[in-house]
Amino acid sequence: MELCSITGLKGKITVPGDKSISHRCVMFGSIAQGITEIHNFLEGADCLATIRCFGTLGIEIEKNGSTVLVHGKGLHGLSAPSEILDAGNSGTTTRLISGILAGQPFDSKISGDRSLNSRPMNRIIEPLTQMGANISSILRNGCAPLYIAPGSLHGIHYDSPVASAQVKSCLLLAGLYADQETSVTEPSLSRNHTELMLKEFGADIRSTHDLDNSKATASISPCKELYGQKITVPGDISSAAYFIAAGLIVPDSEIMIENVGINPTRAGILKVCEDMGGDITLLNERVQGGEKIADILVRTSRLHGVTIQGDIIPTLIDEIPVIAVMAAVAEGTTVIKDAAELKVKETDRIETICDNLKSMGCNVTPTPDGMIISGGKLRGTSIHTLLDHRIAMAFSIAALVAEGNTKILDSKCVDVSYPEFYDTFEDLL
Ligand code: S3P
């Protein structure tokens, strides 16, 4: 994809359904009794991988565009897979499904692409093993492919060293199959879609958030059954983030993004944009299925550098590539700290962000847990996405304000979370 600078992005858009919520609807629907009806499901490769995996586990899933019907078979209705489960590029599929598979009376294996199979899985293998699960890294390198054999699970309390919704959700799902309560404490609150949605499905689940030390705990008790739900997935704030950034930095722009999920555990980008001086207005705020939603109006603004650190990091972790792009054209210096988790995403995002910003002429210094960015002008170049969807999309926004042309290599990788990404631009020209 080749892009050049533009001005005047104007219009009203929607973004596809939330990726985290789409995964969870299919997973929870599969192990619930009855039908789960999903509207605005994200048809990105990651969520399609989740559908494929549950199909392999014997669940009938009807898909008609973004409407999906999951014919759930109850907590104990999955059947042994006849092949290796293929999670593609999706860490969420792998880590969450592992919690469910740990409680099944059959063997399974799960694997994915090269990026997925190099991401750390000990973060779930260790606590699941403490629960009595039989799970191992087949190549003994702490990564997928994973082998999961039947085990008898007992409830534990796990003090997680990282704020990770994938680790938390994995253990809560395993907790559905344990003999007593399972609880997970994390150093600060990560996205809480699992807690909100499992409650709607009828699980006995509770959360507390200690504001004195930031720690958050979620606990689940085993229950007899979950029950199918009707869910409309809100627009993904992680996808909206690219158009929020574009609206702020492309001169003479005004963009309305309708129907975006603004769950506080996801909405850190809105706070950062405001702190940077961004003109953002939330309209029509409402709650749907326990999730907060709003329309977001963004207008071109003069941005300045900020420091981003601490508890806000888990609430914007996937938006850091595009936040870094905004920082690169803002006035002054932006410091991003406490974000070492970036190193274990689809790529080492500290490296991929810094390398690509440097090649666009930005003065940026990587640090062990983030980066320091001096704002200025960007110039067009070739962007090495390393097949990381969020790098492709973030640097497509950078291209809109860079001097000269920018080539996004392997831009097709946006299909992982946002297949219509480049089409949505057309609506704003
Ligand atoms: C996700 C959690 C986050 C996020 C990922 C989706 C989820 O990962 O980066 O894109 O749906 O639970 P971690 O939980 O590993 O931080």
Side-chain angles (χ1 to χ4, degrees):
M1 175 66 61
E2 191 139 346
L3 299 161
C4 63
S5 70
I6 49 165
T7 59
L9 288 176
K10 295 221 158 86
K12 214 184 249 184
I13 56 168
T14 54
V15 290
D18 186 275
K19 180 155 83 74
S20 295
I21 295 178
S22 295
H23 280 300
R24 286 162 172 79
C25 297
V26 170
M27 294 187 180
F28 305 170
S30 295
I31 56 169
Q33 288 275 15
I35 292 179
T36 288
E37 183 180 323
I38 312 169
H39 296 277
N40 201 34
F41 179 81
L42 168 62
E43 297 176 83
D46 270 16
C47 298
L48 296 178
T50 292
I51 288 191
R52 199 168 55 228
C53 287
F54 281 91
T56 307
L57 291 164
I59 301 297
E60 186 193 341
I61 300 175
E62 292 175 74
K63 198 178 142 313
N64 186 357
S66 64
T67 299
V68 175
L69 291 184
V70 181
H71 296 260
K73 288 194 174 169
L75 275 177
H76 302 282
L78 299 177
S79 35
S82 54
E83 55 191 69
I84 296 185
L85 299 169
D86 178 6
N89 190 243
S90 176
T92 309
T93 308
T94 310
R95 296 198 178 104
L96 269 61
I97 211 174
S98 295
I100 295 173
L101 293 173
Q104 304 306 314
F106 50 74
D107 292 8
S108 51
K109 287 182 186 157
I110 181 154
S111 186
D113 68 14
R114 206 202 298 200
S115 154
L116 181 74
N117 286 355
S118 64
R119 296 179 65 185
M121 292 298 154
N122 279 339
R123 54 179 57 197
I124 57 160
I125 293 176
E126 281 164 13
L128 282 176
T129 304
Q130 283 177 33
M131 290 180 78
N134 237 315
I135 174 169
S136 54
S137 156
I138 292 175
L139 302 177
R140 299 189 188 288
N141 59 358
C143 299
L146 301 174
Y147 172 62
I148 302 170
S152 123
L153 301 186
H154 42 264
I156 60 165
H157 172 72
Y158 186 63
D159 227 328
S160 177
V162 283
S164 161
Q166 295 183 358
V167 171
K168 171 174 64 178
S169 304
C170 167
L171 301 181
L172 293 173
L173 287 166
L176 285 169
Y177 297 93
D179 57 358
Q180 57 192 8
E181 182 183 273
T182 298
S183 58
V184 185
T185 296
E186 46 184 352
S188 49
L189 181 60
S190 66
R191 64 191 67 192
N192 63 356
H193 306 299
T194 295
E195 296 91 305
L196 296 178
M197 200 190 293
L198 271 181
K199 202 180 193 97
E200 302 277 315
F201 274 80
D204 181 4
I205 188 162
R206 301 155 299 280
S207 343
T208 57
H209 191 193
D210 186 340
L211 295 174
D212 289 338
N213 60 14
S214 302
K215 287 192 177 194
T217 300
S219 319
I220 195 163
S221 302
C223 65
K224 283 214 164 60
E225 280 303 350
L226 302 176
Y227 299 96
Q229 298 295 307
K230 183 170 172 180
I231 299 163
T232 300
V233 181
D236 196 328
I237 192 165
S238 298
S239 299
Y242 305 104
F243 294 99
I244 293 173
L248 293 177
I249 67 176
V250 171
D252 194 25
S253 297
E254 179 167 324
I255 305 177
M256 171 78 102
I257 316 164
E258 292 182 317
N259 258 331
V260 183
I262 53 158
N263 177 323
T265 64
R266 294 287 299 284
I269 180 157
L270 299 178
K271 163 102 177 37
V272 165
C273 289
E274 276 166 23
D275 290 351
M276 293 179 88
D279 180 352
I280 294 189
T281 312
L282 295 186
L283 300 157
N284 200 11
E285 284 186 55
R286 55 218 186 262
V287 176
Q288 182 185 291
E291 293 281 352
K292 267 178 113 176
I293 299 175
D295 303 333
I296 303 177
L297 177 65
V298 190
R299 297 191 187 95
T300 307
S301 308
R302 261 180 90 118
L303 300 183
H304 54 79
V306 286
T307 295
I308 308 169
Q309 61 184 345
D311 297 339
I312 199 169
I313 293 291
T315 73
L316 49 68
I317 190 75
D318 292 343
E319 289 65 75
I320 291 180
V322 79
I323 289 174
V325 165
M326 289 192 283
V329 294
E331 230 170 81
T333 303
T334 292
V335 181
I336 301 174
K337 289 187 203 170
D338 302 323
E341 277 292 297
L342 288 174
K343 293 183 170 185
V344 292
K345 295 297 177 189
E346 286 81 333
T347 55
D348 174 342
R349 285 187 179 153
I350 294 184
E351 204 173 284
T352 35
I353 293 169
C354 291
D355 288 353
N356 283 306
L357 279 182
K358 272 184 201 154
S359 81
M360 294 189 91
C362 173
N363 180 357
V364 54
T365 311
T367 62
D369 66 348
M371 61 199 76
I372 301 165
I373 302 166
S374 298
K377 284 199 172 5
L378 298 178
R379 58 164 189 267
T381 181
S382 285
I383 297 299
H384 295 270
T385 61
L386 306 186
L387 298 175
D388 183 335
H389 56 133
R390 301 212 184 275
I391 297 297
M393 292 187 276
F395 281 87
S396 296
I397 303 305
L400 304 181
V401 292
E403 209 179 282
N405 287 357
T406 300
K407 203 169 177 179
I408 312 289
L409 302 174
D410 299 311
S411 58
K412 187 93 181 95
C413 65
V414 303
D415 285 359
V416 161
S417 65
Y418 196 166
E420 311 93 318
F421 176 69
Y422 291 109
D423 300 330
T424 306
F425 272 119
E426 307 283 325
D427 301 338
L428 294 171
L429 296 175

